[in-house]
Amino acid sequence: MAVAGRVLHLGRVLEAGADECLKPLELSYTELDLLATLRRSGAPCRLSPTELRRAVLLTSGAMTACLNRLQARGLIRREPDPRDGRALFAVLTAKGVKLADRAIALRFEQARRAVAGLDAGEQAQLAGLLRKLGQGMAAD
């Protein structure tokens, strides 16, 4: 319980810190996660909602609501899948690319500060242990 409790607590603290650092850009951590996922996909920065949902682990309803908010702000647009007219891709707009790049830089800086109390070796060791823990849990 000591490990699981600390991991849960740290997750909440880190997510709150991420949300706080993104406030000036009027983005939530989840919205950045979607924008960054689209950005990482490479040109044309376009994914289906199913691909996005798998990458960011959101429910269908939460995904739709988040995409609607991002579209309303002009950060993404939706375009039909040429293979299936019923499906819509989420596409990062030029404005979305610009904001995503700024937000990612802020987020990386916030993450760097969050682990600054550990030296590089400790950070690598902790990352390895957390990876191992995650892999063990995925096997269950």
Side-chain angles (χ1 to χ4, degrees):
M1 285 305 296
V3 172
R6 282 184 175 87
V7 169
L8 284 170
H9 174 73
L10 286 172
R12 287 190 295 269
V13 168
L14 289 169
E15 189 168 346
D19 278 333
E20 188 63 32
C21 90
L22 295 168
K23 264 187 186 174
L25 302 179
E26 299 177 0
L27 279 179
S28 70
Y29 176 71
T30 302
E31 290 167 339
L32 171 59
D33 200 9
L34 278 171
L35 293 175
T37 300
L38 285 166
R39 185 73 170 111
R40 281 191 311 270
S41 73
C45 298
R46 176 181 67 197
L47 294 170
S48 72
T50 301
E51 292 167 319
L52 278 169
R53 201 169 43 250
R54 267 189 240 121
V56 297
L57 304 174
L58 287 176
T59 64
S60 179
M63 174 67 64
T64 299
C66 192
L67 290 172
N68 287 342
R69 286 191 306 273
L70 294 173
Q71 184 174 13
R73 291 185 59 193
L75 302 173
I76 67 160
R77 69 177 182 279
R78 291 184 170 129
E79 58 184 44
D81 180 342
R83 296 167 295 170
D84 179 359
R86 298 168 297 163
L88 294 174
F89 282 106
V91 183
L92 206 52
T93 64
K95 180 180 175 182
V97 167
K98 202 170 168 180
L99 185 64
D101 289 347
R102 285 181 55 212
I104 290 165
L106 282 175
R107 177 68 184 100
F108 269 81
E109 177 56 26
Q110 185 268 335
R112 186 198 60 73
R113 285 192 315 270
V115 297
L118 302 174
D119 66 35
E122 290 169 329
Q123 289 178 32
Q125 182 181 17
L126 180 57
L129 290 170
L130 290 171
R131 188 177 311 106
K132 183 177 180 179
L133 179 63
Q135 290 168 344
M137 292 171 66
D140 288 343

